[in-house]
Amino acid sequence: MRNISVKIRITAWLTILMAVLAGLLLAFMMAISSIVANQTAMDQLKETVRSNVQLVNYENGSLQFDDGFSFYSGGVSILVYNQNGALMAGQVPVSFTSDETFVNGTVRTVESDDDDYYVLDFWLPSDWENGVWVRGLMEEPENSQISRNLLIVALVALPVFMILVILGSYGIAKRAFRPLDNITATASSINEARDLSRRINLPPGRDEFSQLASTFDQLFERLERSFEAEKQFTADASHELRTPVSIIKGASEYGLKYDETPEERHETLTMIHRQSVKMAELISQLLSMTRLDQGTEGAHLEKTDMGELIKSMCGEQAWDKERLILNIKDGIISEVDPILMSRLIQNLVENAFKYGKPDGHVWVSLDRKNNETVLSVKDDGIGIAPEQQDKVWQRFYQVDPSRSGEGGAGLGLSMVKQIARLHGGYMTLESENGKGSTFTLHLPEK
Ligand code: ADP
């Protein structure tokens, strides 16, 4: 069944359903027609017997019939019996072989050898003791004839009806599945052409196919973005690594060839060392970014006193304590990963010093506002121009690479953003060129 197309399956199911319904309808019609035929026959019997009884006169042993009396009319035979059950007038139908006893005024069915009969008797008294029985007999209608007619009609009409059902169901299924054909065709053309920029672009709607198509489009969009990002990342990473490697290569070749004095060799080695430190830093940043990306370095959240975390971090680092001002609200406990959170704070504070004025200040503050834990790092340094503010979160983006110093490769803020996201939070930036910047982490309270 799984190998058969859904359209054919729907057509088959609908056809079977319609055939069963048509069969049931036929059976129902046959039952109804037989009930109606029987009822009509009984009414006919009652009517004929009643009207004929009024035309029978039995007085002083003599039996007379008024004008209009008929022994046989409309399939009903009228018979007259004396009180002992002996036939006085009329002709018993040959196929009625029963010697049914007389019952006054009730229609009943009497089984006879060949046919079944409806029987209705009336007692017609002449005095206190004497009288005659007037009996009406009518053959039970042959239902088979009606049924046969119905069956013939059904045999002719049913194939036509079933062909219409098959064509109609297939047409409906085909029409209903047309959007799915579009989706399949576009998805396979995307697959064949390896072109993730294509979209299914079904007109917007609330039906299942439109939703499926828009989910696919969103999926393609995300895939395209992540492939692009991956490509960009690989290109940037190799570019960033190539620079220190070629400096190291050039310096060592030059040193081997031309350095003669210990001073010259020392100078070359210092340069090589500086570049290798830069490379080591870059590689370790790239590694932890990839781990964060892949989720291998997921957040291990634990209830942490945020104020304590900031204070102990600032104590451990060799930051200029004169210029670092803490403004911390005590007792703020948040569910964070202490290692990742320390990395976030360290990145922000180091940037604040790096891009601050030589004698400027860095303010770290912690507060709770609007159901959020709010941690901000502010400086009074060079600031970031409005058009750069969105870009600084991108990997490898640097406003002025010459200012980033050793080890800086434009990865710090993108890591900060990722760590915030891993905690269910987000980052905001307020900055004014030449006046300073404030980077703020917003962590929703859980
Ligand atoms: P980098 O290694 O270059 O510091 P980041 O990702 O940490 O990389 O920062 C990206 C860029 O954003 C930096 O190169 C710098 O131009 C800018 N930037 C970051 N922090 C600040 C700040 N506090 N003040 C001004 N500019 C900043």
Side-chain angles (χ1 to χ4, degrees):
M1 199 69 175
R2 291 202 171 275
N3 294 332
I4 304 171
S5 116
V6 179
K7 280 176 240 169
I8 303 220
R9 270 191 263 169
I10 289 179
T11 310
W13 284 119
L14 276 178
T15 310
I16 291 170
L17 179 71
M18 292 311 277
V20 170
L21 285 182
L24 284 176
L25 190 68
L26 186 66
F28 178 71
M29 276 164 64
M30 282 163 72
I32 289 282
S33 70
S34 121
I35 289 169
V36 169
N38 289 345
Q39 192 58 48
T40 314
M42 278 189 209
D43 289 347
Q44 167 82 15
L45 175 69
K46 278 185 211 158
E47 180 59 36
T48 312
V49 176
R50 268 201 197 109
S51 59
N52 278 301
V53 161
Q54 289 164 9
L55 304 173
V56 177
N57 295 304
Y58 183 62
E59 271 167 26
N60 305 325
S62 112
L63 183 65
Q64 282 174 355
F65 301 101
D66 290 346
D67 285 349
F69 179 87
S70 163
F71 281 105
Y72 186 81
S73 84
V76 179
S77 305
I78 302 289
L79 309 164
V80 183
Y81 292 85
N82 70 14
Q83 62 206 59
N84 301 321
L87 184 66
M88 293 171 72
Q91 180 126 31
V92 181
V94 188
S95 56
F96 185 76
T97 50
S98 163
D99 48 0
E100 171 74 4
T101 48
F102 293 93
V103 179
N104 192 22
T106 313
V107 179
R108 60 240 187 251
T109 309
V110 173
E111 283 181 18
S112 191
D113 283 351
D114 290 335
D115 301 303
D116 291 348
Y117 276 84
Y118 290 135
V119 179
L120 175 62
D121 304 322
F122 281 114
W123 170 244
L124 189 69
S126 64
D127 53 41
W128 278 109
E129 287 176 2
N130 300 308
V132 285
W133 286 102
V134 177
R135 164 169 282 183
L137 284 181
M138 186 184 199
E139 225 178 297
E140 204 176 355
E142 272 282 348
N143 286 331
S144 55
Q145 183 57 38
I146 305 163
S147 311
R148 212 175 297 130
N149 290 345
L150 263 173
L151 271 177
I152 290 169
V153 172
L155 278 180
V156 176
L158 214 62
V160 178
F161 174 71
M162 289 322 289
I163 288 171
L164 287 178
V165 168
I166 292 171
L167 291 178
S169 326
Y170 189 73
I172 291 170
K174 204 171 157 191
R175 207 182 145 78
F177 277 82
R178 201 173 296 148
L180 189 64
D181 293 341
N182 281 349
I183 295 174
T184 315
T186 316
S188 58
S189 81
I190 288 171
N191 183 33
E192 279 156 20
R194 298 185 186 280
D195 177 6
L196 278 173
S197 65
R198 286 196 205 170
R199 298 287 175 269
I200 297 167
N201 272 339
L202 228 58
R206 289 162 61 86
D207 67 287
E208 292 82 347
F209 290 127
S210 300
Q211 283 174 14
L212 179 68
S214 99
T215 310
F216 265 121
D217 280 347
Q218 284 165 16
L219 180 73
F220 292 142
E221 176 119 21
R222 275 190 53 193
L223 277 176
E224 188 188 12
R225 258 192 282 131
S226 82
F227 277 134
E228 284 303 317
E230 209 64 45
K231 254 189 346 208
Q232 186 64 39
F233 181 73
T234 319
D236 289 340
S238 44
H239 173 80
E240 290 297 323
L241 284 171
R242 207 179 302 133
T243 313
V245 168
S246 55
I247 295 175
I248 290 173
K249 190 167 163 265
S252 49
E253 278 168 5
Y254 184 89
L256 282 173
K257 245 187 195 165
Y258 303 110
D259 285 355
E260 281 172 3
T261 63
E263 289 77 28
E264 283 172 339
R265 283 194 202 115
H266 182 263
E267 202 178 310
T268 308
L269 279 176
T270 311
M271 185 195 286
I272 292 175
H273 178 248
R274 209 169 42 229
Q275 291 304 325
S276 54
V277 166
K278 187 170 178 170
M279 254 175 75
E281 176 69 19
L282 183 65
I283 288 168
S284 96
Q285 274 189 330
L286 280 174
L287 258 178
S288 59
M289 286 218 69
T290 316
R291 285 198 198 123
L292 280 175
D293 267 355
Q294 292 174 343
T296 43
E297 197 174 305
H300 303 289
L301 305 182
E302 52 189 75
K303 281 199 163 50
T304 310
D305 186 325
M306 293 291 283
E308 287 303 315
L309 180 82
I310 295 170
K311 283 181 210 158
S312 76
M313 254 217 74
C314 295
E316 284 163 18
Q317 301 291 327
W319 292 328
D320 185 345
K321 305 288 178 312
E322 300 284 302
R323 293 166 57 209
L324 183 64
I325 301 155
L326 300 187
N327 185 5
I328 288 180
K329 183 170 184 181
D330 285 327
I332 294 183
I333 311 285
S334 288
E335 286 233 346
V336 297
D337 180 324
I339 297 176
L340 292 180
M341 199 43 68
S342 306
R343 203 181 291 168
L344 177 143
I345 298 167
Q346 186 178 358
N347 270 309
L348 291 179
V349 176
E350 274 173 4
N351 275 354
F353 276 117
K354 200 157 57 170
Y355 304 103
K357 291 189 197 122
D359 54 350
H361 292 87
V362 175
W363 292 266
V364 178
S365 56
L366 178 72
D367 203 349
R368 189 151 261 186
K369 284 181 204 157
N370 306 330
N371 294 335
E372 281 181 345
T373 299
V374 177
L375 188 164
S376 58
V377 178
K378 180 179 159 208
D379 63 68
D380 50 3
I382 59 169
I384 303 168
E387 66 276 10
Q388 311 273 6
Q389 288 179 13
D390 274 348
K391 297 184 186 156
V392 292
W393 304 103
Q394 293 171 10
R395 287 175 183 180
F396 297 109
Y397 188 82
Q398 294 175 309
V399 177
D400 175 8
S402 64
R403 267 210 78 130
S404 296
E406 309 274 297
L411 287 174
L413 285 182
S414 112
M415 201 165 357
V416 163
K417 191 174 168 190
Q418 208 167 4
I419 293 172
R421 214 189 56 220
L422 273 176
H423 285 83
Y426 60 100
M427 295 297 306
T428 54
L429 163 61
E430 279 170 62
S431 184
E432 208 177 318
N433 231 350
K435 290 207 169 152
S437 315
T438 309
F439 289 86
T440 308
L441 164 72
H442 303 257
L443 276 184
E445 240 176 74
K446 288 198 182 127

